[in-house]
């Protein structure tokens, strides 16, 4: 995949074998580019263009940007909505349809028994929403990670498998993790067929297992 911007002479080459490190030394440019990319990942308009085999891809659909690796939430609202939607599809599928209907009927029967035991005249919706059951019993992803690196890797896996993301953007991740931990993150991304874009505001030690695109303080581009 490629990420282009009209202000850039080149393109950021993204593949799931080698992460791309984009170094932006100017504070003003760093802030401008990351903010614009964040807005596009959030569904707003912007000038970045993500493409694969010359076909433009919707950035908000295929890319996720992470500023704080300590704050990733595997059970945030958008993830839960997608999870419930997928589980609802399975519940309504051929394999589980009859079992789902049985559970709904049992719940409605139980409610009628509760009504009879009470002094009230009550009613329910004609159709019981299976999603409401998921929420009532607190269906969510189990956070099995031991530390924030594990949580980040789990989040990337969920982004790939459930949200169908193809690109994960990590901002200044080099300030938080060691080279060993970064290699773990990269390996996890490779296993999940995710392309990593690492945006940094300083050039760190050059590594042969990454590709680099540098915009120095004079706005000269090296790629």
């Amino acid at each position: 995949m490629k990420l282009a911007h009209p202000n850039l002479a080149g393109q950021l080459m993204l593949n799931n074998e080698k992460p791309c490190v984009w170094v932006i030394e100017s504070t003003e440019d760093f802030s401008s580019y990351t903010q614009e990319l964040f807005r596009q990942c959030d569904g707003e308009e912007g000038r970045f263009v993500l493409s694969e085999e010359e076909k433009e891809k919707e950035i908000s659909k295929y890319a996720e940007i992470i500023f704080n690796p300590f704050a990733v939430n595997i059970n945030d609202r958008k993830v839960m909505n997608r999870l419930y939607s997928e589980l609802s599809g399975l519940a309504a599928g051929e394999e589980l349809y009859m079992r789902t209907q049985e559970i709904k009927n049992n719940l409605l029967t139980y409610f009628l028994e509760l009504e009879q035991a009470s002094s009230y005249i009550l009613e329910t919706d004609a159709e019981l929403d299976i999603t409401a059951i998921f929420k009532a019993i607190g269906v969510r992803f189990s956070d099995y990670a031991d530390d924030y690196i594990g949580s980040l890797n789990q989040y990337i896996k969920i982004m790939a498998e459930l949200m169908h993301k193809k690109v994960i953007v990590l901002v200044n991740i080099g300030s938080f993790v060691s080279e060993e931990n970064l290699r773990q993150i990269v390996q996890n991304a490779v296993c999940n067929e995710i392309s990593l874009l690492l945006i940094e505001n300083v050039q760190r030690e050059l590594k042969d297992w990454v590709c680099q695109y540098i915009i120095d303080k004079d706005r000269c581009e090296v790629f």
Side-chain angles (χ1 to χ4, degrees):
M1 303 185 82
K2 301 176 183 178
L3 186 67
H5 191 281
N7 289 352
L8 299 178
Q11 296 178 324
L12 298 162
M13 309 302 293
L14 310 174
N15 64 73
N16 56 22
E17 296 179 358
K18 178 182 285 190
C20 178
V21 179
W22 184 16
V23 180
I24 310 171
E25 294 184 347
S26 163
T27 302
E28 180 182 351
D29 288 345
F30 180 85
S31 176
S32 176
Y33 282 123
T34 53
Q35 184 178 49
E36 184 175 3
L37 186 56
F38 169 74
R39 287 176 174 173
Q40 287 188 247
C41 287
D42 202 36
E44 298 183 29
E45 295 294 323
R47 294 171 294 171
F48 280 100
V49 176
L50 181 67
S51 62
E52 184 176 30
E53 296 179 352
E54 310 307 322
K55 294 182 180 179
E56 186 173 345
K57 300 293 184 179
E58 186 177 348
I59 289 180
S60 61
K61 181 178 180 180
Y62 288 96
E64 179 80 5
I65 188 168
I66 299 172
F67 287 92
N68 185 353
F70 303 108
V72 292
N73 181 7
I74 61 173
N75 291 306
D76 69 14
R77 181 176 55 83
K78 64 182 178 181
V79 172
M80 287 297 94
N81 288 341
R82 182 68 65 86
L83 176 61
Y84 291 161
S85 176
E86 186 170 306
L87 292 178
S88 295
L90 291 173
E94 182 178 353
E95 183 178 350
L96 293 174
Y97 177 79
M98 295 304 297
R99 179 61 175 149
T100 301
Q101 295 306 115
E102 179 184 354
I103 291 172
K104 287 182 177 182
N105 291 335
N106 287 341
L107 284 172
L108 291 174
T109 299
Y110 175 68
F111 172 77
L112 290 175
E113 293 174 359
L114 281 176
E115 182 189 25
Q116 291 172 3
S118 75
S119 58
Y120 309 111
I121 299 175
L122 306 172
E123 65 180 20
T124 65
D125 292 334
E127 178 63 26
L128 184 60
D129 182 9
I130 190 68
T131 300
I133 299 176
F134 299 153
K135 292 179 180 179
I137 63 175
V139 173
R140 60 191 179 277
F141 282 105
S142 174
D143 187 357
Y144 53 76
D146 295 327
D147 54 24
Y148 76 95
I149 299 297
S151 295
L152 180 58
N153 281 328
Q154 188 178 1
Y155 185 80
I156 291 173
K157 182 177 177 65
I158 290 171
M159 287 297 104
E161 294 183 350
L162 180 66
M163 307 300 288
H164 308 298
K165 300 291 185 178
K166 298 295 184 182
V167 178
I168 298 292
V169 183
L170 299 173
V171 180
N172 271 341
I173 191 66
S175 298
F176 301 100
V177 303
S178 65
E179 181 174 345
E180 180 182 354
N181 285 335
L182 183 56
R183 282 183 178 272
Q184 292 177 13
I185 295 169
V186 170
Q187 184 58 45
N188 177 61
V190 170
C191 291
N192 288 284
E193 298 183 348
I194 286 283
S195 298
L196 284 181
L197 173 60
L198 315 179
I199 304 180
E200 301 282 344
N201 63 349
V202 295
Q203 185 175 353
R204 306 181 193 279
E205 182 181 352
L206 184 63
K207 303 176 179 64
D208 58 6
W209 47 276
V210 303
C211 59
Q212 286 200 118
Y213 191 116
I214 301 171
I215 304 177
D216 65 20
K217 291 184 178 180
D218 297 322
R219 293 181 174 170
C220 296
E221 300 179 34
V222 180
F223 53 91

